[in-house]
Amino acid sequence: GTRWRGQARSFQRLCARTCRLHSRLVSTAGRALLYDLHPYLWDIRNLLLAASAFVLWLGCQSISAPMLLGRDAEPWARRGGLFGELQALLPVGNSCDLFYHPPPLFPSSQLYLLRPLLPLDKLGNEEGGCSEVSQVLQAQLSHAPPLPGRLLGSFLSLSPEYTFVLEDEDGPCGYAAGALHAEGFLQQRDSSWLPAIRHKYPPELGTGGAALGQDALEEAVLFFHTEPLAVPQPVLRRFPSLVQLGTAPRVLDVGASRSLALCLLSALRANGSRGVFCQVSDSDRQQLSFYSKLG
């Protein structure tokens, strides 16, 4: 175990150096050289963001030993070079080609860090799943007041081991959360987590919050007191895991969002998941746009 953790730290340092290399290339290279090398290095950076976070996730003590489901892909299905070698090591393998995106027309030197949720993020009480990360993400990703359970509460309380955080130089800017066994997760959410959070944020709270913005507060409280729609059994049988992802508006690089998705899917796949689904309101244009851009 000690040797594995030492090798994992070395791998993470190499990943961080490669990400810095990408950033420096964008900042300093001549245009001709930049546009020659950027597509390749951008691809590598995105994959290493996911791989580094996945290795860190494997080393979390709260995670039981995962069951890696390696399958030999047909030679024609695998991309060549270093990207193909690294891609083959992730449990999702060649599935990440489903989320292929061309490099951005205007390269960005922004540095990103992708990591699993850590104990240092100070998970709070089990009812609300309040954490510093949750509150920052809530403020950055929506215009609603930062009631801690609104965005990630059920995942932080019931499935924190499948939660990942994306950070840039200004702090948390994205998240990916999942539940390995969605059916049990949804039952537990509806039977224990939702009643507790409704008691904590009663309906009358939405009538006295002018300081926070009346409409936004009412919307946030209404979110907790609206009965969630049931997921059809055929969906749960075919796609047993639930996922939820999001990034702040300032994250314009779709590659970082893709890395979030790959990392979460790798973690779920490593523990036996064979498919995922997400729940999106047909009126939530922000989330619909995000998932559509992701592919």
Side-chain angles (χ1 to χ4, degrees):
T2 302
R3 191 175 79 170
W4 186 92
R5 290 178 190 279
Q7 291 179 338
R9 285 193 294 269
S10 297
F11 176 69
Q12 286 165 334
R13 286 194 293 268
L14 285 170
C15 292
R17 288 173 59 187
T18 306
C19 291
R20 289 197 297 271
L21 173 63
H22 169 266
S23 180
R24 289 178 60 189
L25 180 82
V26 173
S27 301
T28 62
R31 295 295 96 178
L33 179 62
L34 172 61
Y35 282 96
D36 242 4
L37 294 180
H38 182 258
Y40 177 74
L41 200 53
W42 180 78
D43 252 352
I44 293 290
R45 183 209 69 168
N46 295 336
L47 193 60
L48 289 182
L49 277 175
S52 178
F54 177 66
V55 168
L56 187 58
W57 176 83
L58 285 175
C60 290
Q61 294 183 355
S62 60
I63 305 294
S64 58
M67 175 181 62
L68 296 177
L69 303 176
R71 291 183 179 179
D72 292 330
E74 295 293 333
W76 54 264
R78 181 174 297 167
R79 294 174 61 179
L82 179 61
F83 182 94
E85 293 294 326
L86 290 168
Q87 176 181 270
L89 293 176
L90 288 175
V92 288
N94 299 295
S95 300
C96 47
D97 281 340
L98 293 171
F99 307 103
Y100 175 75
H101 295 280
L105 291 176
F106 302 101
S108 168
S109 61
Q110 179 67 276
L111 280 170
Y112 291 102
L113 171 68
L114 178 56
R115 60 173 179 81
L117 194 76
L118 300 174
L120 293 178
D121 291 318
K122 298 180 182 179
L123 284 177
N125 63 75
E126 297 197 2
E127 289 181 357
C130 176
S131 73
E132 291 182 357
V133 166
S134 176
Q135 293 188 54
V136 172
L137 286 173
Q138 178 67 52
Q140 304 242 13
L141 299 178
S142 75
H143 301 295
L147 299 183
R150 166 76 190 274
L151 183 66
L152 281 171
S154 57
F155 289 99
L156 292 176
S157 294
L158 306 176
S159 186
E161 64 272 24
Y162 293 103
T163 303
F164 294 87
V165 179
L166 180 70
E167 295 180 332
D168 62 12
E169 293 160 356
D170 295 322
C173 59
Y175 74 96
L180 182 64
H181 302 293
E183 187 170 14
F185 171 85
L186 294 173
Q187 288 174 355
Q188 196 173 358
R189 181 198 67 182
D190 296 345
S191 64
S192 61
W193 183 81
L194 265 180
I197 208 75
R198 286 168 178 169
H199 177 75
K200 188 172 184 178
Y201 301 110
E204 56 268 22
L205 184 66
T207 62
L212 290 173
Q214 185 66 34
D215 292 340
L217 183 61
E218 286 182 2
E219 180 189 348
V221 173
L222 180 64
F223 174 83
F224 292 133
H225 290 272
T226 301
E227 284 300 322
L229 294 176
V231 179
Q233 278 298 319
V235 172
L236 291 170
R237 283 195 295 268
R238 186 174 179 186
F239 308 103
S241 302
L242 172 65
V243 299
Q244 180 177 304
L245 301 96
T247 58
R250 68 176 187 269
V251 180
L252 302 178
D253 188 343
V254 73
S257 304
R258 178 176 180 257
S259 298
L260 265 175
L262 292 182
C263 188
L264 176 58
L265 293 177
S266 292
L268 292 168
R269 177 65 174 157
N271 274 340
S273 177
R274 62 181 185 277
V276 303
F277 71 96
C278 58
Q279 290 180 294
V280 190
S281 167
D282 56 6
S283 61
D284 191 340
R285 295 183 179 180
Q286 184 179 350
Q287 279 290 88
L288 288 171
S289 173
F290 174 80
Y291 288 121
S292 298
K293 288 178 182 176
L294 188 61

